[in-house]
Amino acid sequence: MLREFLIAALERAAVRRFGVGPPLPIVVQLESARQRLSRLAEVQAETRADGWVIERVEEKFLLEACGLSISGKIDWIDRHEKTGALRILDYKTSDQPVSPIEAHLSSVRRDEVPADFAWCEIGGRQVIWRDLQLPLYLRALAGEGGPVECGYFNLPKAIGGTGIRLWEDHTPEIAASAWCCAEGVAAAIRSGVFWPPNEAVDPE
């Protein structure tokens, strides 16, 4: 039932955007989308059987860091019907499945000089923040009580990689480090400090 609903919605959207009989490259992309949505329906049916119920989607939030407003929207929030736990999920449609911790934290490159607030210690190893998305989502829902977990709903090209990848070892220490980084970034922006420059940015 869910699969049929999603495919029908895709077909209607495709006709509205591309008309009847779209060119071959669009046909190929639509077939890829059908396969991804079919697998998504299977995974969603499994997670529903495990007790997770979709509670909210596109949930707006607003945080304040050093006088700077941080706003955004959370793709998907589940609540477990028995435990009451919350689960935050963000859709990822990259070619390969994405690991939450690898997307957010990584080793320092030799040509980098990270700001002090960017550092984080994981298992005795020093890494730096590359992304703060999921920790900020967790902070936005922190006042709702009960346990909250987060992760990605991966929808890669290869449907075998479709599934939910949770940030299993997200600890209070990691959360505190992420917020320290967010406040550091906010304070730097307010002070007009934008350094070091990103050499990969096109001057145009």
Side-chain angles (χ1 to χ4, degrees):
M1 179 70 76
L2 178 57
R3 177 187 180 280
E4 286 71 20
F5 171 82
L6 293 173
I7 298 301
L10 172 66
E11 301 291 350
R12 290 193 299 271
V15 170
R16 283 196 306 270
R17 183 163 184 177
F18 305 111
V20 178
L24 181 59
I26 299 300
V27 172
V28 172
Q29 291 297 315
L30 289 174
E31 180 55 32
S32 174
R34 289 187 192 94
Q35 293 179 13
R36 291 189 188 196
L37 289 174
S38 295
R39 179 58 185 146
L40 181 151
E42 294 175 7
V43 173
Q44 176 56 25
E46 293 166 2
T47 196
R48 178 64 187 90
D50 289 337
W52 292 100
V53 179
I54 299 174
E55 183 177 84
R56 284 167 276 171
V57 295
E58 297 293 311
E59 176 80 357
K60 294 181 180 180
F61 71 89
L62 181 66
L63 294 170
E64 197 81 16
C66 295
L68 195 72
S69 295
I70 304 172
S71 62
K73 285 193 296 186
I74 301 172
D75 284 349
W76 181 341
I77 302 172
D78 279 344
R79 187 179 292 276
H80 198 277
E81 59 186 353
K82 292 183 179 179
T83 68
L86 289 175
R87 181 170 69 182
I88 298 167
L89 295 175
D90 189 71
Y91 280 115
K92 293 298 177 188
T93 56
S94 52
D95 289 349
Q96 299 295 326
V98 181
S99 161
I101 190 168
E102 291 174 3
H104 285 76
L105 293 157
S106 73
S107 300
V108 181
R109 294 190 295 266
R110 280 186 292 179
D111 59 342
E112 284 185 301
V113 182
D116 290 343
F117 55 74
W119 290 94
C120 180
E121 184 174 323
I122 300 286
R125 186 168 65 98
Q126 293 292 323
V127 292
I128 61 170
W129 287 101
R130 300 288 182 190
D131 194 332
L132 296 170
Q133 181 187 33
L134 290 179
L136 290 179
Y137 287 179
L138 285 171
R139 189 174 183 88
L141 295 188
E144 298 199 12
V148 185
E149 58 185 26
C150 63
Y152 291 151
F153 198 129
N154 285 309
L155 293 167
K157 282 186 176 180
I159 61 174
T162 299
I164 295 171
R165 182 84 65 91
L166 295 175
W167 193 332
E168 300 284 0
D169 55 351
H170 192 282
T171 63
E173 291 74 22
I174 291 175
S177 173
W179 185 243
C180 177
C181 184
E183 289 187 315
V185 171
I189 291 172
R190 287 181 60 84
S191 300
V193 178
F194 302 97
W195 195 266
N198 185 346
E199 302 295 341
V201 173
D202 188 336
E204 295 296 328

